């Protein structure tokens, strides 16, 4: 048991920003727009750091797939308590077409490389709302998955999980290694305090390319059009 | 000095003299209109830049180019700013703080955890060790709540600054770590019931004990921010010193711990604004202070006090800019949606003018503040007290006007407590008052500059007396040229120009103004000599002119840089 946890963090447009569609309808305006860590990824990082503080695991490794700026997101994870970071460099067209399938292949490869015991992810990203990466990663690795987790506790080499599902709460017990995706009520992420941000500067981030992991990032999907939802008509009271 | 000056002046200057009188006023107005330009950076080296303005010179190298920070630093700043912004938008309930006139303990603890109590304390003592520039940037966010801003500033910008800049190693090691973490809170105790602006007249006494190991402090202080909760205080008191065998009373600075005993705090003052900040009276009754707790030298307290105050002022520029930017955000939402006469408010000229003014002021304040901060970050501990004072005067008054106009846009709604505008107005009213009233600062700005100019001019006169004909001719011909209306070239534009070509017009106007200003200062010194100290109204105008010139400089420098490096939105800055 390596006691190592891989946490995936995604750089997304900040939740408070008003999104605008690009004039050519190929996507959303991202230039100059404020970005931050996906809120569910924050919850995942918080859970990982909590497990480390309880001494149930030994190391938290933050991973992000994307262009150079993804390193900022990794740094935030480091400031929250992660030990080191891995930046999988994907930029340009590849980045625009990056989806859950490719990311899960990357995460699976990294999990094997790093001998991870647990993969923690957010349940979905607030920009594409796919809710697929966790599930796909588990499938590729043939690991058990605990998605929409609102409570996680380690018991020996098994994990007790409470899942939030439509019908209510489901209690399950799964083996490790496993993939867990975090839901809203799992915890309240801590602030990255300024002293911790300064300390995080000394932590290492390693950059790798998807090819190094033997992953092909070509997409099976093609985006045809992106448009705004229809304007809401005024209602009548 | 005066006689020689008169001789030369009488030969060439009488023509221009009458013109100068009205030019001084005219120049001030011109500058207001020209403030749209970006700032020029000027260095502040040993009171550089601003001082030279008094001689009608632009110290190019000091101010151009605008202070640059590397990309790494930009990254770092973004990282540092994010959690602070989040904290202030999610966990700070300003309305509640104002209503209950206190900052909740959880909020205070959150600020401590974030590390905001020791922003500029070096890392080795447990602080963040950040630069003036980053401090100014963080203040933009902290300023969103006036009470918190004042509490933090009273703690670190003045409360513990004395230990930081004038304390010895032992004092720093002993006190700074707990101050950086926020475990201990600091306060700055100078003002007394009878001594506000006239700080040198304080009456609190510190007498040496019989065994020579303690000083006993007796007296009372008022308007002490953080007074009710401070554990460590920088107290200023009169001590008896012997200077050349004569016994004199000089002010000294002491680090006083509440734990020493004998300190009583009065009840918190019920204030118009910044109500969450604790302000109270402190009385000292035979408080024993060990001699090791004297900051700097006995008798050197006044200078330390002035240095402390001077070093904290510059951040007011960025605080006000941050606040105004927030106000623009809140106000524009309203102006765009509220309709009257079938048009939204934002389509009316007078409303647009208010926004233009707010944007302008925010831009200028930012430019001036970061220019000054950048100068202060240069190695060599430059003395930017003049520049910092100018930033403070401009920002406090500009902020007050902008906040008032923002409230005006919202009309009746702005007047109610349902919106934060009235709180911002109340919180802002203190700005022109504390940290040195604007009246005092104007005198300081002008007189320091005049003193410098006077020295240089006297120096020149002496040279001429010694027979330096070349210098004399140079001066005479320069005055001839100026009075004949020749164009002024101070090197801001043209071949070796440091200003971007598209800003040439504004730069030229600045040059003209600077040159006129220099001449005006000369003639004022000649006319009044030493009695200029009493001519407050004249000095006030000089100060205003200078402040606006510094603003112009800051704006021109910043704009030049933005265009040169092709910053996005630079064209917007250009039109500003």
């Amino acid at each position: 048991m390596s006691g190592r946890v891989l946490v995936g963090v995604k750089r997304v447009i900040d939740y408070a920003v008003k999104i605008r569609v690009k004039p050519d309808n190929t996507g959303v305006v991202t230039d100059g727009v404020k970005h931050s860590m996906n809120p569910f990824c924050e919850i995942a990082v918080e859970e990982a750091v909590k497990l480390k503080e309880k001494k149930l695991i030994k190391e938290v490794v933050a991973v992000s797939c994307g262009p150079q700026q993804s390193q900022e997101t990794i740094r935030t994870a480091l400031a929250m308590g992660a030990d080191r970071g891995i930046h999988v460099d994907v930029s340009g067209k590849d980045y625009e077409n990056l989806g859950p399938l490719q990311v899960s292949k990357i995460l699976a490869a990294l999990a094997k490389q790093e001998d991870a015991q647990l993969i923690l992810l957010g349940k979905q990203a607030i920009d594409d709302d796919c809710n697929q990466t966790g599930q796909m990663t588990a499938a590729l690795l043939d690991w058990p998955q605990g998605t929409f987790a609102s409570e996680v506790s380690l018991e020996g080499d098994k994990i007790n999980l409470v899942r939030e599902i439509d019908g209510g709460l489901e209690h399950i017990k799964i083996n490790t290694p496993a993939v867990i995706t975090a839901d809203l009520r799992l915890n309240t992420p801590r602030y990255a305090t300024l002293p911790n941000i300064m300390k995080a500067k000394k932590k290492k981030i390693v950059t790798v390319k998807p090819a190094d992991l033997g992953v092909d990032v070509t997409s099976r999907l093609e985006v045809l059009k992106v448009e705004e939802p229809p304007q809401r008509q005024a209602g009548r009271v | 000095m005066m006689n020689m000056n008169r001789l030369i002046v009488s030969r060439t200057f009488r023509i221009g003299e009458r013109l100068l009188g009205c030019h001084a006023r005219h120049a001030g107005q011109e500058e207001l209109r020209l403030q749209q330009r970006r700032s020029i950076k000027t260095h502040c080296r040993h009171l550089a830049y601003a001082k030279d303005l008094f001689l009608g010179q632009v110290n190019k190298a000091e101010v151009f180019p605008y202070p640059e920070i590397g990309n790494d630093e930009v990254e770092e700043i973004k990282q540092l700013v994010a959690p602070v912004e989040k904290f202030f938008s999610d966990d700070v309930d300003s309305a509640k703080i104002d209503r209950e006139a206190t900052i909740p303990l959880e909020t205070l603890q959150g600020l401590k955890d974030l590390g905001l109590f020791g922003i500029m304390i070096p890392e080795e003592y447990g602080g963040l060790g950040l630069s003036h520039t980053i401090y100014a940037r963080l203040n933009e966010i902290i300023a969103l709540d006036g009470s918190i801003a004042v509490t933090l500033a009273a703690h670190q910008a003045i409360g513990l600054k004395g230990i930081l800049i004038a304390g010895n190693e032992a004092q720093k090691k002993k006190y700074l770590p707990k101050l950086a973490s926020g475990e201990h809170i600091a306060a700055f105790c100078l003002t007394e019931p009878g001594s506000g602006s006239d700080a040198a007249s304080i009456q609190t006494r510190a007498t040496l004990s019989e065994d020579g190991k303690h000083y006993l402090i007796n007296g009372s202080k008022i308007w002490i921010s953080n007074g009710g909760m401070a554990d460590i205080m920088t107290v200023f008191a009169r001590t008896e010193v012997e200077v050349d065998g004569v016994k004199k009373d000089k002010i000294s600075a002491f680090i006083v711990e509440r734990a020493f005993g004998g300190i009583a705090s009065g009840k918190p003052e019920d204030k118009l604004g910044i109500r969450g900040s604790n302000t109270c009276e402190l009385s000292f009754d035979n408080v024993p202070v060990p001699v090791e707790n004297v900051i700097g030298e006995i008798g050197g307290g006044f200078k330390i006090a002035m240095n402390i105050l001077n070093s904290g002022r510059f951040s007011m520029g960025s605080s006000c800019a941050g606040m105004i930017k927030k106000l623009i955000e809140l106000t524009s939402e309203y102006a765009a949606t509220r309709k009257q006469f079938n048009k939204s408010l934002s389509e009316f000229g007078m409303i647009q003018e208010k926004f233009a003014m707010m944007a302008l002021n925010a831009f200028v304040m930012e430019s001036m503040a970061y220019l000054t901060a950048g100068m202060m970050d240069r190695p060599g501990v430059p003395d930017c007290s003049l520049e910092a004072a100018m930033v403070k005067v401009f920002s406090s008054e500009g902020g007050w006007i902008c906040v008032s106009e923002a409230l005006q846009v919202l009309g009746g709604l702005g007047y109610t407590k349902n919106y934060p505008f009235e709180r911002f107005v109340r919180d802002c009213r203190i700005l022109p008052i504390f940290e040195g009233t604007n009246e005092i600062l104007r005198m300081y700005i002008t007189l320091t500059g005049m003193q410098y100019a006077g020295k240089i001019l006297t120096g020149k006169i002496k040279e001429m007396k010694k027979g330096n004909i070349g210098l004399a001719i140079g001066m005479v011909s320069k005055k001839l040229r100026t009075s004949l209306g020749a164009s002024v070239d101070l090197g801001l534009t043209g071949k070796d120009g440091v200003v971007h070509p598209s800003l040439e017009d504004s730069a030229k106007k600045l040059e003209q103004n600077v040159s006129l200003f220099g001449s005006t200062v000369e003639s004022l010194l000649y006319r009044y000599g030493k009695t200029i100290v009493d001519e407050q109204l004249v000095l006030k105008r000089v100060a205003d002119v200078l402040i606006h010139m510094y603003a112009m400089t800051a704006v021109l420098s910043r704009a030049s840089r933005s265009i040169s490096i092709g910053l996005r939105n630079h064209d917007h800055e250009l039109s500003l």
Side-chain angles (χ1 to χ4, degrees):
Chain A
M1 292 239 290
S2 66
R4 189 171 293 131
V5 174
L6 228 57
V7 183
V9 293
K10 187 177 182 188
R11 179 175 179 263
V12 299
I13 296 181
D14 189 84
Y15 75 91
V17 169
K18 227 171 174 177
I19 316 278
R20 283 190 319 211
V21 175
K22 282 200 254 195
D24 60 4
N25 288 112
T26 55
V28 150
V29 175
T30 53
D31 244 359
V33 173
K34 182 169 180 213
H35 284 68
S36 45
M37 192 191 290
N38 182 36
F40 294 107
C41 297
E42 280 181 3
I43 299 176
V45 173
E46 175 64 23
E47 196 60 25
V49 175
K50 273 210 173 81
L51 287 174
K52 190 175 98 160
E53 284 170 349
K54 288 191 209 154
K55 300 214 193 311
L56 294 167
I57 55 157
K58 293 208 199 80
E59 194 186 21
V60 177
V61 182
V63 180
S64 194
C65 306
Q68 181 66 19
Q69 295 94 318
S70 295
Q71 293 208 4
E72 287 168 24
T73 315
I74 300 179
R75 290 241 169 262
T76 310
L78 293 174
M80 284 173 74
D83 298 297
R84 57 185 169 91
I86 300 177
H87 166 220
V88 182
D89 193 6
V90 181
S91 21
K93 263 274 160 238
D94 282 339
Y95 179 61
E96 283 171 35
N97 292 329
L98 195 66
L101 184 58
Q102 298 97 315
V103 175
S104 53
K105 286 183 188 169
I106 293 174
L107 288 176
L110 278 172
K112 290 203 191 106
Q113 182 185 289
E114 299 287 330
D115 189 21
Q117 200 195 330
L118 194 59
I119 299 182
L120 270 165
L121 304 170
K123 73 172 180 183
Q124 68 197 60
I126 60 173
D127 53 4
D128 55 18
D129 283 326
C130 284
N131 186 359
Q132 297 168 1
T133 310
Q135 292 84 337
M136 283 181 177
T137 311
L140 285 168
L141 289 165
D142 199 22
W143 285 5
Q145 54 182 263
T147 52
F148 310 111
S150 65
E151 248 181 76
V152 170
S153 56
L154 266 58
E155 204 183 288
D157 61 349
K158 300 209 194 295
I159 304 180
N160 283 325
L161 238 115
V162 177
R163 300 180 60 224
E164 289 200 15
I165 57 176
D166 290 343
L169 296 172
E170 186 189 44
H171 296 253
I172 62 171
K173 198 178 208 143
I174 57 177
N175 289 326
T176 53
V179 175
I180 300 179
T181 68
D183 204 331
L184 191 63
R185 279 160 280 274
L186 181 58
N187 60 49
T188 309
R190 64 193 63 191
Y191 284 110
T193 65
L194 303 195
N196 283 341
I197 295 176
M198 309 282 291
K199 282 192 209 131
K201 279 197 285 185
K202 302 194 186 93
K203 296 184 185 172
K204 278 205 171 81
I205 299 181
V206 163
T207 306
V208 297
K209 287 209 155 294
D212 300 340
L213 301 164
V215 174
D216 169 24
V217 284
T218 44
S219 175
R220 312 282 207 272
L221 302 171
E222 186 190 325
V223 173
L224 294 174
K225 189 160 91 153
V226 176
E227 57 184 20
E228 291 208 359
Q231 291 282 8
R232 284 180 61 182
Q233 297 298 321
R236 275 211 315 196
V237 174
Chain B
M1 164 193 167
M2 287 309 159
N3 283 323
M4 265 315 253
N5 210 0
R6 210 177 302 232
L7 204 53
I8 302 168
V9 163
S10 64
R11 248 190 262 157
T12 57
F13 228 38
R14 245 181 238 144
I15 322 156
E17 217 181 36
R18 264 176 291 121
L19 292 171
L20 280 173
C22 54
H23 260 150
R25 257 160 274 162
H26 185 61
Q29 284 167 343
E30 273 228 305
E31 269 147 333
L32 276 166
R33 265 179 259 134
L34 287 169
Q35 265 173 347
Q36 320 237 322
R37 287 306 196 169
R38 285 191 196 254
S39 326
I40 315 178
K41 277 208 230 197
T42 29
H43 290 293
C44 168
R45 226 178 323 169
H46 314 299
L47 279 185
Y49 195 61
K51 276 196 196 162
D52 288 322
L53 286 178
F54 277 87
L55 293 171
Q57 289 164 4
V58 170
N59 196 338
K60 262 200 299 187
E62 283 280 355
V63 205
F64 286 91
Y66 200 68
E68 193 74 58
I69 46 173
N71 266 326
D72 286 344
E73 262 204 81
V74 175
E75 277 306 309
E76 196 184 321
I77 294 180
K78 275 204 251 174
Q79 283 251 302
L80 294 169
V81 160
V84 181
E85 271 180 342
K86 194 160 174 225
F87 183 74
F88 271 82
S89 71
D90 295 346
D91 287 333
V92 172
D93 187 351
S94 297
K96 183 165 175 220
I97 293 176
D98 182 63
R99 217 170 33 237
E100 299 181 2
T102 178
I103 303 176
L105 283 171
E106 315 89 61
T107 313
L108 217 50
Q109 189 58 42
L111 292 166
K112 291 180 192 175
D113 291 337
L114 274 172
L116 292 175
F117 272 73
I119 299 177
M120 284 183 70
I121 298 181
E123 279 186 79
E124 64 212 76
Y125 301 110
L128 295 175
L130 297 172
S131 63
H132 291 88
T133 312
I134 302 185
Y135 179 69
R137 178 68 185 88
L138 288 172
N139 262 315
E140 276 192 37
I141 312 167
I142 299 174
L144 293 176
D145 184 293
S147 305
I148 295 183
V150 171
T151 304
L152 286 175
H155 167 83
Q156 56 189 323
I158 50 176
L160 53 84
K161 252 311 167 61
I163 307 176
L164 205 57
I165 59 179
N168 59 40
E169 192 59 38
Q171 290 164 338
K172 286 185 187 173
K173 275 217 174 76
K174 182 172 182 196
Y175 292 108
L176 289 181
K178 292 220 171 105
L179 287 167
S181 70
E183 199 181 320
H184 284 163
I185 299 186
F188 182 81
C189 305
L190 176 63
T191 311
E192 294 178 6
S195 314
S197 287
D198 189 6
S201 70
I202 57 171
Q203 293 300 304
T204 303
R205 270 213 100 70
T207 38
L208 197 53
S209 63
E210 301 240 319
D211 61 4
K213 290 212 177 119
H214 286 95
Y215 276 95
L216 294 169
I217 297 189
N218 277 290
S220 62
K221 301 280 184 190
I222 60 167
W223 307 134
I224 307 302
S225 294
N226 296 347
M229 50 190 200
D231 306 287
I232 311 286
M233 292 161 255
T234 305
V235 181
F236 294 86
R238 292 210 106 81
T239 46
E240 214 176 57
V241 232
E242 227 179 85
V243 178
D244 301 325
V246 181
K247 284 218 163 104
K248 282 193 180 174
D249 255 359
K250 282 194 167 268
I251 300 176
S252 307
F254 300 88
I255 306 176
V256 179
E257 293 177 41
R258 191 179 285 271
F260 290 160
I263 305 178
S265 358
K267 77 170 179 36
E269 301 282 350
D270 194 7
K271 304 186 293 290
L272 171 68
I274 54 167
R275 291 170 57 74
S277 157
N278 173 282
T279 315
C280 67
E281 255 188 66
L282 282 177
S283 72
F284 298 87
D285 187 10
N286 274 329
V287 181
V289 180
V291 290
E292 302 84 53
N293 277 24
V294 174
I295 304 179
E297 281 176 21
I298 283 286
F302 190 71
K303 210 161 166 219
I304 294 177
M306 291 303 110
N307 283 339
I308 295 175
L309 290 169
N310 286 338
S311 70
R313 280 199 186 110
F314 72 97
S315 64
M316 196 177 286
S318 59
S319 307
C320 282
M323 186 190 61
I324 295 180
K325 286 192 275 191
K326 183 83 189 152
L327 285 173
I328 295 179
E329 187 190 317
L330 295 170
T331 322
S332 51
E333 238 190 277
Y334 180 77
T337 47
R338 166 81 171 171
K339 282 187 190 282
Q340 286 285 270
F341 305 109
N342 257 319
K343 293 208 285 192
S344 74
L345 286 191
S346 54
E347 293 175 58
F348 293 109
M350 286 206 256
I351 302 292
Q352 288 171 343
E353 187 189 33
K354 293 188 210 293
F355 279 102
M357 188 201 60
M358 287 198 275
L360 194 81
N361 269 299
F363 187 74
V364 178
M365 284 179 208
E366 257 183 18
S367 310
M368 284 171 82
Y370 287 111
L371 180 57
T372 316
M375 284 197 257
M376 290 171 86
D377 280 337
R378 281 194 219 299
V381 198
D383 182 359
C384 298
S385 49
L386 211 54
E387 283 75 5
M390 291 197 273
V391 171
K392 196 261 184 188
V393 173
F394 184 83
S395 310
S396 52
E397 288 172 10
W400 174 241
I401 297 174
C402 285
V403 136
S404 205
E405 291 296 304
L407 190 151
Q408 182 77 5
V409 173
L410 260 85
L413 280 178
Y415 205 61
T416 65
K417 286 205 185 238
N418 301 330
Y419 284 80
F421 296 88
E422 55 83 36
R423 190 185 69 241
F424 276 112
V425 167
R426 283 186 290 110
D427 286 346
C428 272
R429 189 55 187 89
I430 191 69
L431 293 175
I433 299 175
F434 72 0
E435 282 225 55
T437 61
N438 285 6
E439 286 74 24
I440 289 289
L441 288 179
R442 281 199 163 85
M443 293 299 114
Y444 172 69
I445 293 169
T446 326
L447 291 173
T448 320
M450 293 279 198
Q451 197 185 45
Y452 176 72
K455 256 193 258 179
I456 302 283
L457 287 172
T458 326
K460 282 201 184 146
I461 301 288
K462 283 209 183 100
E463 282 291 307
M464 280 191 281
K465 276 189 178 161
K466 278 195 263 181
N468 192 339
I469 304 294
L471 182 58
I473 297 181
M475 275 185 74
V476 169
S477 54
K478 174 173 160 238
K479 288 196 200 296
L480 252 177
R481 263 186 281 133
T482 323
S483 60
L484 289 178
S487 66
V488 181
D489 185 4
L490 290 171
L492 283 179
T493 60
K495 227 169 14 101
D496 295 318
V498 281
V499 177
H500 195 271
S502 49
L503 297 169
E504 202 176 303
D505 268 345
S506 303
K508 280 250 159 274
K509 288 203 180 126
L510 175 62
E511 288 178 352
Q512 279 167 354
N513 279 310
V514 170
S515 155
L516 270 173
F517 184 69
S519 319
T520 316
V521 166
E522 259 186 64
S523 84
L524 281 175
L525 280 171
Y526 144 64
R527 190 190 304 179
Y528 291 105
K530 289 218 169 79
T531 64
I532 193 132
V533 184
D534 298 318
E535 300 291 326
Q536 285 218 340
L537 295 179
V538 171
L539 291 179
K540 172 169 175 259
R541 288 204 279 273
V542 174
D544 286 337
V545 169
L546 188 71
I547 292 172
H548 288 135
M549 284 202 298
Y550 185 59
M552 284 175 75
T553 319
V555 167
L556 268 165
S557 174
R558 181 175 170 189
S560 290
R561 170 179 160 266
S562 285
I563 302 176
S564 309
I565 68 176
L567 271 183
R568 206 178 347 112
N569 294 336
H570 71 248
D571 45 353
H572 181 63
E573 291 192 34
L574 191 57
S575 50
L576 266 181

